[in-house]
Amino acid sequence: MKSARKSAITWRDVNGILLLDKPSGVSSNHVLQTVRRLFRAAKAGHTGSLDPLATGLLPICFGEATKIAGLLIGSSKAYSTTAMLGQTRSTDDAEGELLIDRPVPNIDDDLIRRGLQLLTGEQTQIPPIYSAIKRDGERMYTRARRGEAVEVPSRTVHVDRFELIGTNLPLLDLEIECGSGTYVRSLVRDLGEFLGCGAHVTALRRLWVEPFRDPAMFTLEQLETLAAQDILALDQVVLSVETGLAHFTQCRVDAEDELRLRKGQGIEAVLPKGFCVAISNDSGRVIALAESDGSGRVKPTRGFSVET
């Protein structure tokens, strides 16, 4: 007798943002697909990959919120990390092959802080060869895993804060606040080279992503418990699309201007050219992101369903 075929998932419309506490040991995409199935969400996306080793905040966008996922990817972020001095690894973290093993010199906190200071501010950074950066349509880590010689182009990044939290040689506990595109693994690697002994990341946790600076995160286990109770219980932990735009300048319009914006027309607003605003209707629901053209008007760049 053939076994009964599993019933297909009935997908549903879910709109908003989940602040997920990603576990270590799995990819961001794997976690995304797990969460999507739990919520039975028709549409979902994450806001920038975390390394498999990493834990912490991974905002998951559902439905209409996927329209702002790219904005969250480009937001400022903060991390805590543990660096091990004396070992250089192929991936710049503990999952990689050991390349060089060097003795850790007798260094003090002042020298470490000097290195951290040099790596603060605007930096020209070379990302790890095992990274999700695409070149000619292919991820760098895919080429590296095939054993190909990988040349990763440097990029300009900004590090707002790189701070020593604790020292227990050969381990350093560090915190970082940085802009989009910054690789903590590269910062740790470069710090190790400054100290003359090499270094790699042994633990990495994302603490916050702008505008979620004090996030109430949920683990997969917590979500599975809620899903077992009632699918609607999951909806209670989803934040509105508006929360993801809290760091934007806000503008509320009446019904007449709302109609214009929904038709793709501009409305009057004296703002600097290129200035972006989040526009809400009388009910406080976001209806559009708009940008000033510098002539006394703003025009919509992205529209949202009023049901979000």
Side-chain angles (χ1 to χ4, degrees), residues 237-250:
V237 303
V238 177
L239 303 176
S240 68
V241 177
E242 287 79 11
T243 61
L245 297 170
H247 55 317
F248 273 67
T249 298
Q250 306 293 311

Side-chain angles (χ1 to χ4, degrees), residues 181-222:
T182 307
Y183 276 88
V184 173
R185 285 182 285 152
S186 293
L187 288 173
V188 167
R189 176 200 65 208
D190 293 346
L191 175 63
E193 293 309 310
F194 170 81
L195 296 173
C197 58
H200 69 272
V201 167
T202 63
L204 178 64
R205 182 169 179 79
R206 186 186 280 165
L207 304 175
W208 54 256
V209 174
E210 191 76 46
F212 305 108
R213 290 205 170 219
D214 189 21
M217 293 182 269
F218 292 87
T219 65
L220 285 178
E221 291 76 14
Q222 289 173 315

Side-chain angles (χ1 to χ4, degrees), residues 56-261:
L57 181 58
L58 182 67
I60 303 290
C61 294
F62 299 115
E64 288 292 289
T66 59
K67 295 177 179 178
I68 66 170
L71 300 176
L72 295 176
I73 290 173
S75 296
S76 296
K77 302 171 179 69
Y79 301 87
S80 63
T81 190
T82 299
M84 175 174 280
L85 302 180
Q87 292 185 348
T88 302
R89 292 184 175 267
S90 58
T91 58
D92 296 322
D93 66 16
E95 296 189 333
E97 176 188 355
L98 178 61
L99 300 178
I100 307 173
D101 198 348
R102 289 177 271 181
V104 178
N106 185 20
I107 56 177
D108 58 22
D109 288 359
D110 286 342
L111 180 61
I112 295 168
R113 290 193 176 97
R114 198 183 314 158
L116 298 175
Q117 185 61 41
L118 289 172
L119 293 168
T120 302
E122 188 171 274
Q123 304 286 316
T124 299
Q125 184 181 83
I126 299 176
I129 60 171
Y130 286 85
S131 67
I133 296 171
K134 281 187 176 181
R135 194 167 190 182
D136 298 327
E138 191 172 31
R139 302 286 186 187
M140 291 293 187
Y141 60 67
T142 302
R143 294 185 173 192
R145 287 169 183 165
R146 288 201 300 261
E148 295 181 15
V150 178
E151 290 187 16
V152 185
S154 63
R155 54 168 63 182
T156 300
V157 299
H158 198 279
V159 179
D160 299 295
R161 181 171 68 92
F162 199 6
E163 185 176 350
L164 178 65
I165 303 301
T167 306
N168 183 21
L169 294 178
L171 300 177
L172 305 178
D173 290 323
L174 308 164
E175 284 190 3
I176 301 100
E177 293 181 13
C178 55
S180 175
T182 307
Y183 276 88
V184 173
R185 285 182 285 152
S186 293
L187 288 173
V188 167
R189 176 200 65 208
D190 293 346
L191 175 63
E193 293 309 310
F194 170 81
L195 296 173
C197 58
H200 69 272
V201 167
T202 63
L204 178 64
R205 182 169 179 79
R206 186 186 280 165
L207 304 175
W208 54 256
V209 174
E210 191 76 46
F212 305 108
R213 290 205 170 219
D214 189 21
M217 293 182 269
F218 292 87
T219 65
L220 285 178
E221 291 76 14
Q222 289 173 315
L223 297 176
E224 288 166 352
T225 299
L226 289 173
Q229 297 172 7
D230 183 352
I231 190 69
L232 296 181
L234 283 173
D235 294 347
Q236 301 306 307
V237 303
V238 177
L239 303 176
S240 68
V241 177
E242 287 79 11
T243 61
L245 297 170
H247 55 317
F248 273 67
T249 298
Q250 306 293 311
C251 178
R252 186 166 290 197
V253 297
D254 57 23
E256 189 175 344
D257 277 344
E258 178 181 356
L259 183 60
R260 289 194 183 96
L261 289 165

